[in-house]
Amino acid sequence: MTQRIENVVKGLVMVVLAFMVAQTVSDCNVCQSNQVACINSTSFYLCFGDGTPHRDQLYHCLEGFDCTNLTAICVQKSSQRPPSCGDTSQCGQCSANRNYLFACQSRGIFQMCYGATRPTGQFGYCPTGTVCDASSTAICVPEVAGQTLTCDINDELVDTTTAASVTTETTGGTTESSTESTTESSTDSTVTTETPTTVTPLTPAQMCAQRNATGLFPVIPADPYCQRYISCYFQKNVLIKSAEYNCPTDSWFVAQTQSCVYVNPGYCL
């Protein structure tokens, strides 16, 4: 009799845990039943019942808490209850790969590091049915149910338009992009560099019109301290609100996750 009761209790516990996991896994940047949209494992926007994340104010869970679709929104971290938007702590981190070879920028987008502390150059895209895995030297590995992702955010949240300030042509005829803005000279005729044109600062409205999308974006020219960013809010392709904001003290804006993070990504002063 005692054994039967124990089995029933264990069964109920497994059902509850399975229910909790099912209730907390969701898509990033999408309004959930608790009227928030988690953009990473610890940050979120409010939705106010209209099904659209309001990006004029970004909220952060306290340290040790995850953003979920539960009523409390921020719930203490638990191995049995993943955050709604997955783990983004290793997004864009060359150190996530033991050889500093590449960095995952999302589920299916990556950049090469080649031993550096931050990724540069063209963005790479994993083939359909594969995901970026920093624990593998293959970069992209087959996607399987329940696997732990290095950078668990949707590909569409990655800004892939800001990594081509300088183009370098190699002897093999391939072209690589780099975010370096310095002018270099070389005696090797197989290597050419282009000096980027002067960038004129844009107003928030001009920046939003250029992006033509709702979200958070870096200011132009880029802020080397990663403190300033632009917020754009569109409805039916009409710009409703545009504004410039600063990240909270001791945090840095990261374009890939459209959020202020409390760990310096490595390229901010």
Side-chain angles (χ1 to χ4, degrees):
M1 184 65 178
T2 302
Q3 183 64 39
R4 180 179 298 179
I5 294 176
E6 290 179 353
N7 291 337
V8 171
V9 171
K10 289 180 180 178
L12 289 174
V13 169
M14 294 302 295
V15 169
V16 171
L17 291 178
F19 176 78
M20 291 171 63
V21 171
Q23 289 295 302
T24 55
V25 176
S26 181
D27 289 328
C28 297
N29 214 27
V30 174
C31 291
Q32 305 173 134
S33 58
N34 60 351
Q35 299 305 317
V36 303
C38 301
I39 65 167
N40 57 39
S41 58
T42 59
S43 303
F44 60 93
Y45 297 115
L46 298 180
C47 295
F48 300 116
D50 60 2
T52 302
H54 288 254
R55 296 176 173 85
D56 53 340
Q57 178 64 54
L58 182 63
Y59 298 86
H60 306 278
C61 295
L62 295 176
E63 184 176 354
F65 286 74
D66 284 329
C67 181
T68 73
N69 68 348
L70 300 178
T71 304
I73 303 176
C74 295
V75 179
Q76 194 166 13
K77 292 181 182 291
S78 169
S79 60
Q80 301 296 336
R81 184 188 53 247
S84 288
C85 196
D87 185 7
T88 58
S89 61
Q90 293 185 311
C91 294
Q93 301 298 313
C94 295
S95 57
N97 177 260
R98 64 179 182 178
N99 295 321
Y100 284 71
L101 178 63
F102 65 95
C104 298
Q105 299 287 14
S106 67
R107 292 186 179 99
I109 300 178
F110 62 90
Q111 276 183 295
M112 304 308 294
C113 298
Y114 299 117
T117 57
R118 65 185 180 96
T120 58
Q122 291 179 321
F123 290 91
Y125 300 84
C126 292
T128 302
T130 64
V131 293
C132 183
D133 183 2
S135 66
S136 170
T137 56
I139 302 180
C140 299
V141 301
E143 184 175 12
V144 296
Q147 72 188 120
T148 300
L149 298 174
T150 300
C151 181
D152 193 6
I153 62 173
N154 295 330
D155 294 348
E156 56 266 26
L157 294 179
V158 179
D159 180 7
T160 59
T161 64
T162 59
S165 298
V166 178
T167 58
T168 303
E169 184 176 342
T170 64
T171 54
T174 59
T175 302
E176 296 180 349
S177 299
S178 172
T179 55
E180 296 296 331
S181 60
T182 55
T183 303
E184 298 179 1
S185 61
S186 174
T187 56
D188 187 350
S189 60
T190 62
V191 178
T192 60
T193 60
E194 297 177 1
T195 303
T197 57
T198 302
V199 179
T200 302
L202 301 178
T203 65
Q206 290 173 327
M207 178 67 177
C208 291
Q210 186 181 95
R211 293 286 183 171
N212 194 30
T214 295
L216 304 181
F217 307 102
V219 295
I220 294 179
D223 174 16
Y225 298 94
C226 305
Q227 293 293 301
R228 300 160 53 225
Y229 62 92
I230 299 295
S231 174
C232 306
Y233 181 45
F234 283 81
Q235 277 190 347
K236 297 180 180 180
N237 295 322
V238 176
L239 179 61
I240 302 300
K241 183 177 181 178
S242 62
E244 179 178 321
Y245 296 98
N246 288 335
C247 285
T249 304
D250 296 327
S251 66
W252 298 266
F253 180 73
V254 176
Q256 287 83 353
T257 58
Q258 297 191 29
S259 65
C260 296
V261 300
Y262 287 91
V263 176
N264 192 321
Y267 49 81
C268 302
L269 299 178

